[in-house]
Amino acid sequence: MRKREAKKRPLLPDPEFKDQLVTRFVNNLMWDGKKSTAYKIFYDAINIIDERKKEEEEKTALEIWKDALSNVMPHVEVR
């Protein structure tokens, strides 16, 4: 006899940007359950991107990160 399937828990958005994609990224970045350390690494990286921006009219650091993430993801699913 099998037990019932576990319920999917909703993914909460991150505290600073209120974005679920950031939370998914931090969960994959995390080692040994150290979520606060993973958030610190991510937010420090976003701050570095923000400091290196040349013009204020450019995209925000989060938009730059999302563009970089979409460049890395595969466009076609391979089965």
Side-chain angles (χ1 to χ4, degrees):
M1 180 180 270
R2 297 181 188 267
K3 294 185 179 182
R4 64 186 167 119
E5 197 171 315
K7 285 191 277 186
K8 282 281 192 181
R9 286 186 273 174
L11 189 65
L12 298 174
D14 76 298
E16 191 169 322
F17 296 113
K18 311 288 188 264
D19 193 1
Q20 287 185 345
L21 186 62
V22 172
T23 304
R24 284 180 50 203
F25 186 79
V26 167
N27 286 344
N28 286 320
L29 182 68
M30 177 174 54
W31 282 358
D32 297 330
K34 307 275 184 173
K35 188 174 274 192
S36 60
T37 305
Y39 270 123
K40 184 176 181 335
I41 290 169
F42 178 78
Y43 290 144
D44 288 347
I46 292 293
N47 289 337
I48 290 170
I49 292 171
D50 213 17
E51 290 170 4
R52 290 187 183 180
K53 279 194 319 185
K54 293 178 179 63
E55 300 174 12
E56 292 300 319
E57 300 149 9
E58 274 188 46
K59 300 176 185 176
T60 64
L62 188 66
E63 290 172 343
I64 292 172
W65 172 76
K66 284 185 178 182
D67 288 345
L69 200 61
S70 67
N71 285 340
V72 172
M73 285 191 284
H75 296 290
V76 179
E77 182 181 351
V78 178
R79 290 186 183 210

